[in-house]
């Protein structure tokens, strides 16, 4: 994974990527064309370990270092759709992982701030994302948010939490959206979209999902 992912153009995986986008649209009902275009342009094969490159455009989660996973393309597309990102959105992402989802967010929004708990993953993602000028990555406990750049129009949590962390709700702008998997077991969650309105928080559920645990002060204990 040496190449930086912020460079465009066709490559030996272009057809596989186009096929992945067709499957997301036709078989799984992903309908936001901006999200599909982003999924069609980010080279996922540069984010997965070399040994799994040939599987990069299948609809699978794949193992990455630090006992973590890169989420399956369908869940990346669904969560991105749920965020309703606009061109001017300032977005906080918790759980950078490989940086693949971060790159998708950067295709759609204005500024992306991303926090990863595992320092080696954060620095590898930062290198991989060097071609993107609108992404800032740091290592740390994302359950505390990133106060310096708050408030955020959108917040995405890509690990499963027992609750919506209070600092993230506090750092969400009014009118903002938080998408987060929440569940009372470590490996089983419900995908929630929480809108912050002037009347309070509105929650919608989008069904069962499975993420690695969000570990931190306002998430699970290690
Ligand atoms: N979206 C990522 C990608 O495209 O590669 C995959 C994210 S992976 C499913 C979840 C990530 O959340 C892991 O890399 C894990 O280390 C990270 N994580 C867990 N707890 C965290 C925390 N408190 N703060 C920041 N990252 C955390």
């Amino acid at each position: 994974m040496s190449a930086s992912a912020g460079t465009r153009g066709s490559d030996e995986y272009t057809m596989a990527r186009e096929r992945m986008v067709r499957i997301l649209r036709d078989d799984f009902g992903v309908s936001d064309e901006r999200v599909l275009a982003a999924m069609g342009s980010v080279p996922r094969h540069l984010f997965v370990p070399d040994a799994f490159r040939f599987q990069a455009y299948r609809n699978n989660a794949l193992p990455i270092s630090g006992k973590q996973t890169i989420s399956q393309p369908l869940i990346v597309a669904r969560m991105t759709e749920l965020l309703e990102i606009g061109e001017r959105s300032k977005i906080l992402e918790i759980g950078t992982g490989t940086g693949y989802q971060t790159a998708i967010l950067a295709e759609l929004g204005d500024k992306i701030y991303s926090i990863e708990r595992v320092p080696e993953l954060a620095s590898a993602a930062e290198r991989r994302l060097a071609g993107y000028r609108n992404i800032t990555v740091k290592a740390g406990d994302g359950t505390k948010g990133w106060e310096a750049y708050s408030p955020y129009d959108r917040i995405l949590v890509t690990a499963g939490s027992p609750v919506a962390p209070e600092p993230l709700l506090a750092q969400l702008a009014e009118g903002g959206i938080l998408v987060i998997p929440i569940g009372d077991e470590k490996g089983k969650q419900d995908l929630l979209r929480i809108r912050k309105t002037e009347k309070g928080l509105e929650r919608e559920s989008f069904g069962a999902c499975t993420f690695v645990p969000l570990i931190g002060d306002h998430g699970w204990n290690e």
Side-chain angles (χ1 to χ4, degrees):
M1 266 184 285
S2 52
S4 156
T7 44
R8 279 299 114 58
S10 58
D11 51 55
E12 74 263 44
Y13 292 97
T14 300
M15 282 175 64
R17 200 158 48 242
E18 286 172 359
R19 183 170 176 274
M20 175 189 80
V21 169
R22 267 198 312 279
I23 289 171
L24 290 174
R25 182 193 285 115
D26 299 344
D27 298 354
F28 293 111
V30 176
S31 60
D32 185 328
E33 287 299 330
R34 287 186 70 223
V35 173
L36 290 167
M39 303 286 297
S41 71
V42 175
R44 190 172 189 258
H45 62 278
L46 297 182
F47 292 85
V48 304
D50 290 347
F52 293 106
R53 264 193 187 189
F54 70 103
Q55 296 188 37
Y57 296 100
R58 294 187 195 160
N59 191 29
N60 294 341
L62 292 169
I64 58 175
S65 58
K67 294 192 191 147
Q68 302 302 325
T69 52
I70 176 170
S71 307
Q72 67 179 134
L74 177 61
I75 194 78
V76 170
R78 281 255 185 275
M79 292 199 298
T80 310
E81 275 194 319
L82 291 177
L83 282 170
E84 298 174 4
I85 295 168
E87 281 171 12
R88 302 175 72 163
S89 299
K90 181 169 39 154
I91 306 171
L92 176 67
E93 178 192 39
I94 310 304
T96 319
T98 63
Y100 174 69
Q101 169 83 71
T102 323
I104 299 288
L105 299 176
E107 294 286 328
L108 299 169
D110 181 18
K111 293 217 158 33
I112 320 300
Y113 299 92
S114 186
I115 308 176
E116 169 55 53
R117 177 177 164 269
V118 178
E120 304 79 53
L121 288 178
S123 50
E126 201 169 21
R127 279 196 300 279
R128 227 171 267 134
L129 294 167
Y132 285 91
R133 288 168 177 264
N134 58 342
I135 296 176
T136 312
V137 177
K138 78 167 179 180
D141 176 7
T143 67
K144 297 177 185 164
W146 196 340
E147 180 110 51
Y149 297 105
S150 69
Y152 299 97
D153 304 305
R154 303 289 183 262
I155 301 181
L156 174 62
V157 180
T158 70
S161 182
V163 292
E166 274 308 322
L168 300 187
L169 293 172
Q171 291 173 29
L172 187 64
E174 195 172 301
I177 294 176
L178 164 66
V179 171
I180 180 169
I182 293 187
D184 50 20
E185 284 176 52
K186 270 192 178 171
K188 224 167 150 198
Q189 303 93 18
D190 195 11
L191 186 59
L192 291 189
R193 173 163 66 187
I194 301 175
R195 282 180 204 271
K196 192 176 199 176
T197 72
E198 58 181 12
K199 293 186 192 143
L201 299 173
E202 289 175 0
R203 289 164 190 259
E204 297 165 272
S205 166
F206 292 88
C209 55
T210 306
F211 281 85
V212 295
L214 182 76
I215 295 169
D217 283 5
H218 302 270
W220 294 100
N221 296 325
E222 203 157 343

